[in-house]
Amino acid sequence: FKTFALFHDVIYVFPLIYTLLLLVLTYRKGVSFKTLWKSILVFLLLYYATSLFHPQWFLYAQPFLILLIIEDSKFLKVYAALMALYFVYILYWSPEVIAFIDTMGLSGVQLINIFRSIFSGVCIFIAALIVLPENVIKKIRGNNS
C-alpha cells in the first residue's frame, strides 16, 4: 500500500502480516514451539503461493516442512509433489531452458507458469491441512469416524 503519492513510502502486506503474527504469538502466553513453527510455515507457504519469490527463499521453509513430515507422514506425498513443482519453477530463471522449450513449439514461460500455478495450489493445500481442525480434514478425506 502506498501511503503518500509524492514519496516512495510503501507498506508491504506480507511483512506487515508476518510481523503481526509473530508479535501475537510472542505476547500470547502458553504458545508452544509447535504452534510457532507451524504458524511460520503457513505464512511462508501462503507467501510462496501468492507472490513472486526468488527460488532461494524457498529454503526458509524446508526445516519447517521437514518437521511437518516428521510429525505426520501424510505430508510426505504432497511434499514430494511440492519439491518436483519447485524444480520446474526454478527453470523460470534459466533462459536457455525456456528457449529450448520454445523451440519445441511450446511457450516456455506459459508452461512454467502452469506448473507454478499448481505449485501455488499445493502450498495452499498444505497450509489448509495445517490450519483446519482434524474433524474437517476427516470429512474431506471421507472418514466419518
Side-chain angles (χ1 to χ4, degrees), residues 30-103:
V31 174
S32 67
F33 175 69
K34 179 179 171 180
T35 301
L36 184 62
W37 70 259
K38 282 187 172 185
S39 299
I40 293 170
L41 178 56
V42 167
F43 170 81
L44 289 172
L45 289 171
L46 293 176
Y47 178 77
Y48 301 142
T50 60
S51 300
L52 175 67
F53 66 94
H54 197 278
Q56 292 152 321
W57 298 352
F58 191 62
L59 294 175
Y60 298 144
Q62 294 308 307
F64 303 121
L65 288 166
I66 291 168
L67 284 173
L68 190 65
I69 294 167
I70 290 170
E71 181 184 83
D72 192 342
S73 62
K74 75 179 176 194
F75 288 100
L76 185 57
K77 290 179 184 176
V78 289
Y79 175 74
L82 189 66
M83 291 310 298
L85 293 163
Y86 168 74
F87 283 109
V88 174
Y89 175 67
I90 63 175
L91 296 176
Y92 192 72
W93 282 267
S94 177
E96 299 84 13
V97 174
I98 292 173
F100 176 72
I101 295 170
D102 287 340
T103 63

Side-chain angles (χ1 to χ4, degrees), residues 121-136:
V122 173
C123 284
I124 293 169
F125 179 75
I126 293 171
L129 286 179
I130 293 169
V131 172
L132 290 174
E134 190 62 36
N135 61 341
V136 174

Side-chain angles (χ1 to χ4, degrees), residues 4-18:
F4 189 64
L6 299 177
F7 294 97
H8 294 290
D9 185 33
V10 177
I11 298 171
Y12 295 105
V13 174
F14 277 105
L16 173 70
I17 293 170
Y18 186 64

